[in-house]
């Protein structure tokens, strides 16, 4: 369900284009959770592009930001110095959309909002290192 729901959210096409499909966010790290009573709240997640066959390391990283407008419900636990998630699932609800994070180490929970948009910032570790 997450792939179909994600495809309907503005900005998701950029994420799908970069990854080749909607990612599961397995072993991604939550960098930031910013909650606002009014305006946009944000969930920023750093994720590596899956490695190429016969390669041991992926140099390609992205930060995917989920922008929530009109949060109607949330439950977040265990935010700490490192917040690695097992996966992020998107679902449609009667109120809008829900992003649910399953934990590996650190944060777990969900945010539900009337509207969600997505943006992505990409980089390569080799580019960042000046190689």
């Amino acid at each position: 369900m997450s792939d179909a729901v994600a495809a309907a959210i503005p900005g998701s096409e950029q994420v799908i284009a970069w990854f080749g499909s909607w990612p599961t966010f397995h072993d991604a790290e939550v960098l930031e959770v910013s909650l606002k009573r009014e305006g946009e709240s944000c969930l920023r997640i750093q994720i590596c592009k899956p490695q190429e066959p016969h390669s041991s390391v992926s140099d390609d990283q992205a930060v995917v930001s989920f922008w929530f407008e009109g949060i109607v419900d949330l439950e977040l636990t265990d935010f700490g110095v490192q917040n690695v998630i097992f996966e992020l699932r998107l679902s449609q609800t009667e109120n809008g959309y829900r992003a649910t994070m399953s934990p590996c180490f650190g944060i777990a929970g969900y945010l539900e909002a009337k509207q969600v948009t997505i943006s992505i910032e990409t980089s390569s570790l080799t580019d960042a290192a000046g190689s």
Side-chain angles (χ1 to χ4, degrees):
M1 176 97 168
S2 191
D3 292 359
V5 172
I9 297 173
S12 65
E13 65 280 351
Q14 296 170 336
V15 176
I16 292 168
W18 196 73
F19 284 99
S21 63
W22 184 255
T24 64
F25 291 87
H26 179 69
D27 284 343
E29 184 168 5
V30 175
L31 301 175
E32 176 183 356
V33 178
S34 174
L35 301 173
K36 296 183 180 180
R37 293 186 312 176
E38 295 180 12
E40 290 183 319
S41 295
C42 185
L43 172 66
R44 293 182 67 233
I45 301 175
Q46 182 176 12
I47 183 172
C48 291
K49 193 178 222 179
Q51 61 193 27
E52 296 294 322
H54 311 293
S55 174
S56 59
V57 177
S58 174
D59 289 340
D60 294 325
Q61 291 187 19
V63 175
V64 179
S65 298
F66 294 82
W67 301 92
F68 298 92
E69 183 77 38
I71 290 182
V72 294
D73 195 14
L74 65 87
E75 182 178 304
L76 300 171
T77 62
D78 299 327
F79 187 80
V81 295
Q82 188 176 26
N83 299 285
V84 180
I85 57 175
F86 180 76
E87 72 176 345
L88 182 134
R89 304 265 319 147
L90 291 171
S91 56
Q92 208 159 14
T93 68
E94 66 180 51
N95 295 318
Y97 295 95
R98 179 180 281 205
T100 303
M101 296 172 285
S102 300
C104 267
F105 182 84
I107 196 167
Y110 66 87
L111 292 108
E112 185 174 343
K114 293 177 183 176
Q115 297 178 9
V116 179
T117 57
I118 301 169
S119 63
I120 183 171
E121 303 164 46
T122 61
S123 66
S124 172
L125 293 177
T126 55
D127 290 345
S131 299

